[in-house]
Amino acid sequence: MLQLTQCRLPYQSDSKEALVRKVARQIHCREKEIRDLRIVKKSIDARKKPDIFYTYTVTFSVSGEKYILQKNKKNKNLSRIEHKKTEVEQMLEEQRGVPHSEQIVIVGSGPAGLFCAYYLTLCGYRPILIERGAPMEERVRDVDAFWESCEVNTQSNVCFGEGGAGTFSDGKLNTGVSDRLGRGKFVLESFVRFGAKESILYDAKPHIGTDVLRKVIVNLRNEMIERGCRLYFHTKMTKIRWDEAGITGVCAIQRDAGKRERTIDFSCDKLVLAIGHSARDTFECLRDLGIKMSPKPFAVGVRVQHRQEDIDRMQYGKVDKELPAASYKCTGKTSDQRGVYSFCMCPGGYVVNASTEPFGLVVNGMSDVARDSSNANSAIVVSVSPEDFGGDDCLLGVEYQRRIEQAAYRLCDGKIPVQRFEDFKKDRITKSCGNVEPCIKGSWAFENLRKALPKYVINGMIEGMEQFEKKQKGFADGDTLLLGVETRTSSPVRVEREKDSLESVSVRGLYPCGEGAGYAGGIMSAAMDGIKVAMVIADHSK
């Protein structure tokens, strides 16, 4: 196989046929000589706006390969490649079909828990997966009802339930985590197998969309069940048991449709904690059991909404429906040396009420695969550290988040507070929208968001927006909408684990995992960490 990089096409000419023609011209051969062309990577090049190009890396077979390489020996973008199996693929081949009697319990069915369980089922294990929230179909109904009523279901909501918090998000699948083992490749290929578009395998910024992700997770669940995984929904872990040798089991409370509760005891040899960044009561349980945890930095701020067409003009120099909804990434530094940056940018998306507790309000961003709402949104957040929390308790970051969320809730009695940026700077309540109308899932009202935020966060957001304006004219327009608050950018704690064994430093056989444990940040990195833990468990159990 040959590989060609830096193959550019005008976006108006983007097609498989045009790509074959372009490759043939670049390597000086006939189109019919090119076979099995596959896209490895596709990105958009808007450096010379409004002239927009797609840039491809492709692999293909060609007649007379040695002759073509010799003919193009000065072309640094053309090379010969050989397919090598990743370590994930090799390990699955070794393990596949080998039954294991060891009992694994996994707590949490977000990306980390799901992919840990899925990988183990492929290795011949029959893990137990317990989830405090509802299965997907029920969870979607619960969330829709919450957005209508503002009455939060504390166990089944935007953060809790099958699929985790990422299910009600933009569904971005990019990550900066090193992938020398092929874990990310395995995750993406699994998503495609269960219903996602094949383009996520090669897009530079892959995106699955909340609507597609829900279907993918149901399909994944069904295959896991067929392979022997047992799932328990509406089942909340309450206690962990262990002795000198390590983990022996967990206790959980399961609620049925009539809200009746029963206690279930699970014996296990290994326990994976994939609890998510919002499982505050579980963090308290772990602290009280003596599991070592430490506070970690995160960031807080608000969501901002622009018209998507304005973001398209900033990024592309024009608006054209043939181009994907444009995204952005902004970073800066405040005068007091805090980081300020955009987070979880959602082109063509919605701001959603993502609350999990009574009398607390938190928002997130979400979009469907089409990214076709009229607005773009992202969080603009300012970094905070344990020094801002004060004290020695490992859960002081949780209380810091909770205070801000409760203050935001009080502003509009549980509705999402909305404010124009100009009014935010002038410390006054917004009376009406300008050129940006809110795209929101949940009830909202105008209020002054400054009342809910620390002064250094307010100042940092204003400084950040004005810095971003210098690079993207219109970003800090007075009509830009602010919606708050965004406090759960990442877990406020880290459940400490050993570097090599990935076991808790406190208990053998206990594996903290994913975003809630402080080792991931997003769908892909959480799923990859789940696989990382599963690989260690499977390897140590040969």
Side-chain angles (χ1 to χ4, degrees):
M1 297 289 289
L2 298 183
Q3 177 172 283
L4 182 66
T5 63
Q6 297 299 314
C7 185
R8 298 171 77 237
L9 282 176
Y11 76 93
Q12 303 95 330
S13 306
D14 184 46
S15 69
K16 189 69 171 286
E17 294 77 14
L19 185 56
V20 171
R21 287 195 298 271
K22 182 70 172 181
V23 171
R25 285 198 299 270
Q26 285 195 218
I27 67 171
H28 310 293
C29 76
R30 292 176 295 179
E31 293 174 33
K32 65 181 182 181
E33 294 181 82
I34 294 173
R35 303 183 303 275
D36 306 320
L37 185 139
R38 293 186 59 194
I39 302 170
V40 176
K41 185 176 180 181
K42 178 182 179 181
S43 58
I44 198 160
D45 183 349
R47 290 174 295 177
K48 295 182 180 180
K49 57 178 80 71
D51 294 326
I52 312 296
F53 294 86
Y54 284 114
T55 301
Y56 289 90
T57 296
V58 296
T59 61
F60 55 94
S61 300
V62 64
S63 303
E65 182 180 289
K66 289 184 179 179
Y67 171 74
I68 292 294
L69 284 171
Q70 179 63 26
K71 189 177 181 179
N72 291 272
K73 61 183 179 181
K74 293 184 179 180
N75 186 346
K76 296 180 180 180
N77 297 324
L78 183 66
S79 60
R80 190 176 187 276
I81 62 166
E82 292 183 12
H83 173 72
K84 293 183 180 180
K85 291 180 180 179
T86 66
E87 189 165 328
V88 168
E89 291 169 333
Q90 293 175 20
M91 191 168 175
L92 280 176
E93 281 190 3
E94 295 170 6
Q95 294 277 341
R96 196 180 293 273
V98 179
H100 293 272
S101 59
E102 192 174 41
Q103 185 58 69
I104 315 296
V105 172
I106 300 164
V107 181
S109 69
L114 282 173
F115 273 89
C116 182
Y118 179 50
Y119 188 93
L120 289 172
T121 64
L122 295 177
C123 291
Y125 291 86
R126 300 167 68 89
I128 292 171
L129 181 59
I130 65 175
E131 165 59 51
R132 68 192 294 165
M136 186 63 67
E137 302 87 345
E138 182 182 344
R139 183 186 179 198
V140 170
R141 293 194 297 271
D142 291 339
V143 170
D144 286 341
F146 165 60
W147 287 337
E148 288 290 329
S149 68
C150 285
E151 295 180 12
V152 64
N153 181 329
T154 59
Q155 304 303 317
S156 179
N157 48 56
V158 169
C159 293
F160 298 151
E162 186 177 23
T167 305
F168 292 88
S169 72
D170 185 55
K172 283 178 288 297
L173 301 178
N174 51 300
T175 178
V177 175
S178 173
D179 190 28
R180 63 181 180 83
L181 303 181
R183 290 176 289 140
K185 180 174 182 284
F186 175 79
V187 173
L188 293 175
E189 289 177 344
S190 297
F191 280 142
V192 171
R193 182 182 174 202
F194 294 115
K197 297 186 301 181
E198 190 174 353
S199 59
I200 67 171
L201 299 176
Y202 54 76
D203 279 342
K205 296 180 179 179
H207 161 251
I208 191 170
T210 183
D211 48 345
V212 173
L213 184 56
R214 297 173 195 177
K215 298 173 185 176
V216 166
I217 287 171
V218 171
N219 293 336
L220 172 60
R221 175 227 297 170
N222 291 337
E223 172 144 334
M224 287 166 52
I225 291 173
E226 287 181 10
R227 292 181 175 275
C229 181
R230 287 174 285 166
L231 285 86
Y232 292 79
F233 294 106
H234 301 293
T235 303
K236 178 181 170 184
M237 185 190 76
T238 56
K239 188 176 180 181
I240 302 173
R241 301 194 316 275
W242 69 85
D243 57 25
E244 291 182 359
I247 288 292
T248 60
V250 295
C251 294
I253 293 177
Q254 185 179 66
R255 300 179 71 190
D256 63 19
K259 304 291 179 70
R260 294 183 296 270
E261 296 182 348
R262 70 182 182 113
T263 300
I264 308 178
D265 187 273
F266 299 98
S267 295
C268 62
D269 302 295
K270 290 182 169 64
L271 175 64
V272 178
L273 290 179
I275 54 179
H277 63 36
S278 293
R280 293 167 169 174
D281 49 0
T282 306
F283 291 146
E284 293 174 6
C285 174
L286 296 177
R287 178 195 59 189
D288 295 344
L289 287 170
I291 305 299
K292 186 175 181 180
M293 299 187 294
S294 58
K296 60 178 282 295
F298 53 98
V300 298
V302 301
R303 284 263 151 189
V304 301
Q305 280 195 340
H306 300 86
R307 294 186 303 180
Q308 183 61 53
E309 62 183 55
D310 292 335
I311 298 299
D312 290 347
R313 287 193 186 92
M314 290 179 203
Q315 301 300 85
Y316 299 145
K318 59 182 171 182
V319 176
D320 189 329
K321 291 183 178 180
E322 290 188 40
L323 287 164
S327 63
Y328 59 80
K329 184 176 182 179
C330 304
T331 60
K333 187 76 75 173
T334 68
S335 56
D336 59 355
Q337 300 306 300
R338 295 175 186 268
V340 55
Y341 55 93
S342 62
F343 172 80
C344 187
M345 197 271 156
C346 298
Y350 303 86
V351 172
V352 305
N353 191 330
S355 304
T356 61
E357 297 179 339
F359 312 114
L361 177 86
V362 61
V363 297
N364 195 13
M366 183 184 87
S367 68
D368 292 331
V369 67
R371 285 177 163 171
D372 56 0
S373 92
S374 59
N375 283 0
N377 75 81
S378 74
I380 300 298
V381 291
V382 177
S383 59
V384 297
S385 68
E387 288 72 28
D388 295 308
F389 314 151
D392 299 320
D393 192 313
C394 63
L395 299 187
L396 284 171
V398 172
E399 291 307 312
Y400 179 93
Q401 291 175 328
R402 186 175 276 143
R403 285 195 300 273
I404 295 174
E405 292 167 14
Q406 290 175 346
Y409 182 96
R410 290 192 296 269
L411 288 181
C412 305
D413 196 25
K415 298 178 182 178
I416 296 173
V418 177
Q419 189 174 21
R420 293 171 61 252
F421 182 55
E422 182 181 3
D423 296 325
F424 182 79
K425 289 190 294 182
K426 293 183 177 180
D427 196 10
R428 66 190 184 195
I429 295 175
T430 294
K431 301 297 183 182
S432 62
C433 293
N435 61 28
V436 186
E437 292 290 335
C439 287
I440 296 176
K441 298 290 187 180
S443 301
W444 62 276
F446 290 123
E447 246 299 349
N448 186 352
L449 281 158
R450 293 171 72 116
K451 299 176 184 177
L453 295 165
K455 187 174 181 180
Y456 52 81
V457 172
I458 295 168
N459 293 339
M461 284 169 45
I462 293 172
E463 289 181 28
M465 292 286 287
E466 291 176 346
Q467 288 175 32
F468 308 153
E469 170 74 18
K470 294 176 182 177
K471 296 181 179 179
Q472 300 183 81
K473 186 170 177 56
F475 195 89
D477 183 85
D479 283 340
T480 300
L481 293 182
L482 277 56
L483 307 90
V485 290
E486 175 97 17
T487 52
R488 304 191 195 180
T489 51
S490 66
S491 179
V493 300
R494 176 169 287 113
V495 186
E496 300 292 346
R497 72 186 187 189
E498 300 286 354
K499 181 178 180 181
D500 295 324
S501 71
L502 306 185
E503 292 174 294
S504 163
V505 299
S506 304
V507 183
R508 288 188 61 190
L510 176 65
Y511 295 85
C513 177
E515 189 163 352
Y519 297 98
I523 293 172
M524 282 297 291
S525 60
M528 291 167 68
D529 198 57
I531 295 169
K532 183 177 183 179
V533 168
M535 291 178 73
V536 167
I537 291 173
D539 186 54
H540 288 182
S541 302
K542 286 183 180 178

